[in-house]
Amino acid sequence: MCGRLDGNDPAADEKADRVRDALQELGQMPGMLSVLVNGLQQYLHAWDSANNDALDALEALDEQTQLIAPFVFAQNVAAAQIAISALLSRVDQHPSLRLHVLALFASALRQKVTAADLRQTLLVHAVPRLAASSDAHATARVVALVASVWRKDAGTEPAGRVGAMAVRAWARIVARNPRVWRDLAPIVVQLVEALKARRDVASEYAWAVLATIRDLAARDAVRYADHVLPLVFSLLRYARDALDSSTLALAVDAARLCVDANADARGVWAVVERVADASGAAHSAVARMVACVGAHGDASDVYALFRQSVLEQITNNDALGCGYSGALAAFPPAEVMPLLGARSPAQTVHMLDDGAALLAMLMDHEVRIMRRSALTGGAVRTSDDT
C-alpha cells in the first residue's frame, strides 16, 4: 500500500487515512510485524510533514529495507529511483543483501509496465553494482540476469536498444570483476563479425559495444590491449564502411589508449592511417592518434624515423595537413619547423589559422631560441669587455 502513496495520486490522502485507521485497530503487534507497523507509521508521519510529498517521505524509511523495497515498483519514477539508491546503499553496508536485492531488481525488470528510464537505471546502473570480485556467486547471478536480458533482445543477431543497455551493464560488471570479460568477449566478437559481413546492426548497439572496447582500454590498457587491438584492427581493415563517424572514433580512440600503455605505435598507426581522411568525430580521434605518435615513443633512431614519416605524410597532403595541424604541436619543434618551411607562406598561414596549439608551440620555441641567443650574446660581450 505504501508504494501506492505518491504525489500523483489524487486519492492519496484518503488512502493514508485508511491506513492510519487500520493501524489503530491492529494495536500492538508482536515480532517482525511490529517492525513493519512502526516503519509504516514513520512513513505516514513523514508523509504529513512533507505535505504529502512521497519523495521526501521516503527519507524516513532509509533504514527500513523491507518498506523501501515496494517503492522499486512505484509508478512515480523519481520515487523508484530513490528507493533503488537506498537499497544499493544498504547493500554496501550489508553485502549479504546482494542476492535479495538482485531478485527484487530482476522482478522489476520483468514488469512490462516499468518505465523506460527506470529500466535503464535498473539494468545499466543498479544491477552491475551488485557484482563484486569478492563474491563470485553473486557476480555469477548478476551476469546471468544481464545475459538473459541480452539474449531476449538479441536472439541470433546483434541487438537493439535493450541489448545495447545490457552490453553497457556487462561492461560495468567487468569494471568490478575483470574475470567477467571472458563472458563479454564473445558478444564483442559477434558484433565485429556482423559488421565485417555487412549484416544489419543497430547503430545504438554498435556504439555500445565500441564504447565498451574503448572503456576497457581506458581502464586498463595493459590488461586488455591484447584483446582490444585485434578487434580494432579487424574493424578498421575490413569494416570501415560499416562504421559511422562516432563508432569509428571509438575504435581509433581504443587503439590510441593502447599506444599510451606502450603498445607498438608503428603497428597501430599502420592500421589507423587507413582512416586518416575521415571526417567528424573520427577525424578528431585520428588527430589525437597523430598527437600520440608525436608525444609517445622512445628516443631511438628507429622511432625518430617513424615519427618523421608520419609528419611528412600529414604535412605533404594539403587536405590532411590543415585538419591535423593542431596535433603537430605534440611533435618536437625541431622536426616540425623544417617541414613547415618547405611549404608556401600561404599554406603555412592556413595551417596556423587552423591550429592554435601549433602556433603556440612554434612561438614558445622561438622565444626559447631568442632567450638563449640573448644570454649567449650577453656572455660574449662580457668576455670581450674583459
Side-chain angles (χ1 to χ4, degrees):
M1 187 175 292
C2 284
R4 303 281 300 180
L5 292 178
D6 59 54
N8 296 326
D9 188 349
D13 288 337
E14 182 181 349
K15 292 180 181 180
D17 290 337
R18 289 203 303 269
V19 173
R20 291 191 188 91
D21 294 340
L23 291 176
Q24 290 177 356
E25 293 177 4
L26 287 174
Q28 295 294 326
M29 301 298 298
M32 181 58 70
L33 191 56
S34 67
V35 176
L36 294 172
V37 171
N38 289 335
L40 187 52
Q41 289 173 337
Q42 292 175 18
Y43 176 78
L44 290 172
H45 177 72
W47 172 271
D48 293 333
S49 302
N51 296 321
N52 299 353
D53 189 332
L55 303 185
D56 291 338
L58 274 173
E59 300 294 333
L61 301 180
D62 192 32
E63 297 298 321
Q64 302 287 342
T65 305
Q66 65 273 30
L67 291 178
I68 279 286
F71 284 92
V72 173
F73 302 91
Q75 295 179 358
N76 186 327
V77 175
Q81 290 176 335
I82 290 176
I84 292 169
S85 178
L87 288 171
L88 291 173
S89 297
R90 294 288 289 166
V91 170
D92 291 340
Q93 298 170 9
H94 305 284
S96 61
L97 293 174
R98 277 197 185 100
L99 293 179
H100 302 287
V101 173
L102 177 62
L104 185 69
F105 290 169
S107 180
L109 282 171
R110 294 190 188 101
Q111 299 293 320
K112 294 182 178 180
V113 296
T114 302
D117 290 346
L118 183 57
R119 191 179 299 275
Q120 180 173 353
T121 298
L122 283 166
L123 183 58
V124 180
H125 302 286
V127 169
R129 281 188 56 180
L130 300 177
S133 58
S134 60
D135 192 337
H137 180 60
T139 300
R141 297 287 294 274
V142 169
V143 171
L145 174 59
V146 173
S148 68
V149 174
W150 180 85
R151 282 194 298 269
K152 184 177 180 181
D153 189 59
T156 58
E157 295 294 332
R161 183 173 186 274
V162 176
M165 291 193 297
V167 169
R168 297 303 289 159
W170 228 321
R172 290 174 180 266
I173 299 171
V174 172
R176 300 177 71 86
N177 190 335
R179 286 174 292 185
V180 176
W181 164 246
R182 65 176 178 266
D183 299 310
L184 178 58
I187 307 301
V188 179
V189 172
Q190 179 186 2
L191 173 81
V192 172
E193 294 302 321
L195 290 172
K196 289 165 59 177
R198 300 300 192 272
R199 294 201 297 269
D200 290 337
V201 178
S203 59
E204 187 174 7
Y205 182 74
W207 188 94
V209 175
L210 269 295
T212 296
I213 295 176
R214 189 272 317 274
D215 292 347
L216 287 173
R219 186 177 302 115
D220 191 349
V222 174
R223 176 193 292 269
Y224 296 110
D226 290 341
H227 304 279
V228 168
L229 285 177
L231 295 170
V232 170
F233 289 173
S234 185
L235 283 172
L236 296 183
R237 284 190 177 119
Y238 306 114
R240 176 193 169 174
D241 295 340
L243 300 174
D244 59 24
S245 181
S246 62
T247 51
L248 187 60
L250 291 171
V252 173
D253 276 336
R256 174 182 56 81
L257 289 165
C258 292
V259 172
D260 284 338
N262 292 324
D264 181 20
R266 287 164 290 182
V268 173
W269 175 253
V271 179
V272 172
E273 67 176 340
R274 295 167 177 263
V275 297
D277 59 344
S279 59
H283 172 88
S284 300
V286 177
R288 290 190 290 270
M289 181 65 205
V290 172
C292 180
V293 168
H296 184 76
D298 51 43
S300 67
D301 293 339
V302 174
Y303 192 84
L305 289 173
F306 161 66
R307 194 167 52 207
Q308 189 72 16
S309 68
V310 174
L311 269 176
E312 292 174 355
Q313 180 180 352
I314 296 300
T315 56
N316 289 341
N317 188 322
D318 291 338
L320 298 181
C322 296
Y324 295 121
S325 57
L328 299 183
F331 287 75
E335 296 179 6
V336 175
M337 294 188 70
L339 294 174
L340 293 180
R343 300 170 67 89
S344 68
Q347 290 174 323
T348 302
V349 169
H350 188 33
M351 288 189 66
L352 295 180
D353 285 342
D354 189 55
L358 176 60
L359 178 60
M361 181 269 284
L362 295 175
M363 291 177 64
D364 180 70
H365 181 64
E366 288 298 323
V367 168
R368 290 176 182 272
I369 293 177
M370 292 171 62
R371 185 185 299 118
R372 189 179 299 114
S373 299
L375 292 174
T376 302
V380 171
R381 286 192 295 271
T382 301
S383 176
D384 291 342
D385 293 339
T386 301

